[in-house]
Amino acid sequence: MRIGSRVRNADLAHDPAFARRFPAVAEALLSGASAQLRNAATVGGNLLQRTRCAYFYDIASACNKRQPGAGCEARGGDTRLHAVLGWSESCIATNPSDFCVPLVAFDAVVEIVGPNGQRDVLLESFHRLPGDTPERDSLLEPGELIVAVRLPAEAAAFSAHARYLKVRERTSYAFAVVSAAAALRIESGKIAEARIALGDVAMKAWRALRRRRRCWLARRPMPRLSAGPRRRHSPMPGRPATTNSRSSWRDGS
Ligand SMILES: Cc1cc2nc3c(=O)[nH]c(=O)nc-3n(C[C@H](O)[C@H](O)[C@H](O)COP(=O)(O)OP(=O)(O)OC[C@H]3O[C@@H](n4cnc5c(N)ncnc54)[C@H](O)[C@@H]3O)c2cc1C
Ligand code: SF4
C-alpha cells in the first residue's frame, strides 16, 4: 500500500479500501486532532509535525530544540506529558503523532526524494531521538521531500487483529498521554507474531515488542496484550525517566 504524502488525514482514514485493510491505522488517524484539522492535515505534514512541549512554543522559555545551547526549561518544570524513554539531558520532548504509532508497528517505509535522488527510510529510523542535537527531529536533509509512505504487503497479515488505543486527558481533541498500537499475526489459530508500538513516550513512536513464534504470547490463542517487562521485550535500548512525567502523574500531583 503506497500512500502519497499529500493525502489528507481524513481522506485516508475514511477511504473504505484503506480502512478495511488497515483499521488500526484508520483508528489512529481518527483519534488525532479534530475533524477540521484532519481535513487539512496531510500524511507528510503529520510525520513532520513538531513536538507539543509547551516550553518549545513559549519564546520566554529556554529550549534547546528551538535554540540549540539555550537549555531546557521543561526539565524541572511541568513534565507530565514528556518523554519516559529515549530522552537526553538536552531534551525530554515527545513526538505527538498518532498516525506514526501503528505505522511503526507495521514497518512502514518513508519514501524521500532530494537533490541526490530517492531513498527509502524505515519510519522507525526516520524520527531521531534528541541526543545532543534536539533541534533535528528527523533524518530529512535540506532540500528533501517526503513523497510517500509505504506499508509492506506483510502488514496486511496483521490487520484483522490490530488495534490502536489512545489515553488522553479528555476524550476528544487532545494529544495522547500515552498510546499503543498492538498487532497480532494469527496462523492456524495461534499467534505467529506479536508487535506493540508506543506513542508519546519518546521523540519517536517506540517499538516495544516484536516477537515471532516462540513468543510467550504464542502459548495462548488470544491473550490479553501486555508489553511485559521492558528489558525482556524491548529491542530498543531505553533509559526510563524516573524524575519526570508519569512518576509525578501517578502520584496525582
Ligand atoms: C490543535 C492541534 C491538535 C492536534 N492534535 C493532534 C493529535 O491529537 N494527533 C496527531 O497525530 N496530530 C495532531 N495534530 C497535528 C495535525 O494532525 C497535523 O498533522 C499537523 O498540524 C501538521 O499539519 P499539516 O499536515 O497541515 O502539515 P504542515 O503544517 O503543512 O507541515 C508540517 C511541516 O512539514 C513540512 N512538510 C509537509 N509535507 C511535507 C513533505 N511531503 N515533505 C517534506 N516536508 C513536508 C512543512 O514544510 C512543515 O514544516 C494536531 C494539530 C493541531 C494544530
Ligand atoms: S523538552 Fe525539548 S522541546 Fe521542550 S523545552 Fe526542553 S529542549 Fe525544548
Side-chain angles (χ1 to χ4, degrees):
M1 175 76 76
R2 184 175 183 275
I3 311 157
S5 68
R6 301 282 297 156
V7 172
R8 307 278 176 192
N9 286 186
D11 291 342
L12 182 60
H14 293 301
D15 181 273
F18 181 80
R20 207 169 31 247
R21 206 156 160 206
F22 296 107
V25 183
E27 225 168 358
L29 282 166
L30 293 175
S31 75
S34 65
Q36 290 89 341
L37 284 162
R38 292 192 296 269
N39 284 339
T42 61
V43 165
N46 191 277
L47 259 56
L48 289 169
Q49 65 177 295
R50 307 297 314 263
T51 181
R52 302 311 288 192
C53 171
Y55 301 93
F56 173 72
Y57 292 98
D58 174 10
I59 55 167
S61 298
C63 171
N64 286 323
K65 191 179 277 297
R66 183 168 18 84
Q67 192 188 342
C72 171
E73 207 131 324
R75 301 201 65 195
D78 178 359
T79 56
R80 75 196 192 288
L81 297 179
H82 283 76
V84 288
L85 295 171
W87 54 281
S88 74
E89 301 299 326
S90 307
C91 179
I92 57 171
T94 57
N95 182 318
S97 170
D98 290 294
F99 183 41
C100 289
V101 183
L103 289 185
V104 160
F106 289 146
D107 283 343
V109 170
V110 185
E111 256 182 52
I112 297 168
V113 167
N116 299 322
Q118 194 198 314
R119 63 186 179 118
D120 288 349
V121 177
L122 204 60
L123 179 61
E124 192 181 355
S125 317
F126 177 76
H127 291 116
R128 294 180 71 257
L129 293 177
D132 294 332
T133 51
E135 68 278 13
R136 290 199 60 195
D137 289 350
S138 75
L139 296 184
L140 212 62
E141 297 291 343
E144 286 190 322
L145 279 173
I146 298 173
V147 290
V149 169
R150 287 200 315 269
L151 283 159
E154 63 160 42
F158 291 85
S159 60
H161 300 95
R163 288 300 305 271
Y164 180 71
L165 184 69
K166 177 174 177 177
V167 178
R168 45 191 155 176
E169 289 175 334
R170 54 174 191 261
T171 49
S172 74
Y173 194 28
F175 289 94
V177 173
V178 65
S179 69
L184 300 176
R185 181 164 57 81
I186 307 292
E187 275 176 16
S188 314
K190 291 257 166 63
I191 295 163
E193 188 173 347
R195 296 181 183 182
I196 295 177
L198 303 175
D200 276 83
V201 294
M203 205 42 216
K204 56 162 72 193
W206 193 274
R207 185 189 284 281
L209 171 75
R210 181 185 185 140
R211 282 285 158 129
R212 287 177 202 265
R213 296 224 176 260
R214 295 184 164 274
C215 155
W216 59 280
L217 286 168
R219 290 196 290 272
R220 314 174 207 176
M222 280 304 289
R224 208 177 111 248
L225 281 176
S226 146
R230 186 185 56 76
R231 242 181 288 152
R232 196 172 136 208
H233 292 299
S234 172
M236 286 182 67
R239 184 163 58 113
T242 52
T243 53
N244 71 7
S245 207
R246 280 49 159 202
S247 43
S248 59
W249 185 64
R250 258 200 312 272
D251 298 343
S253 51

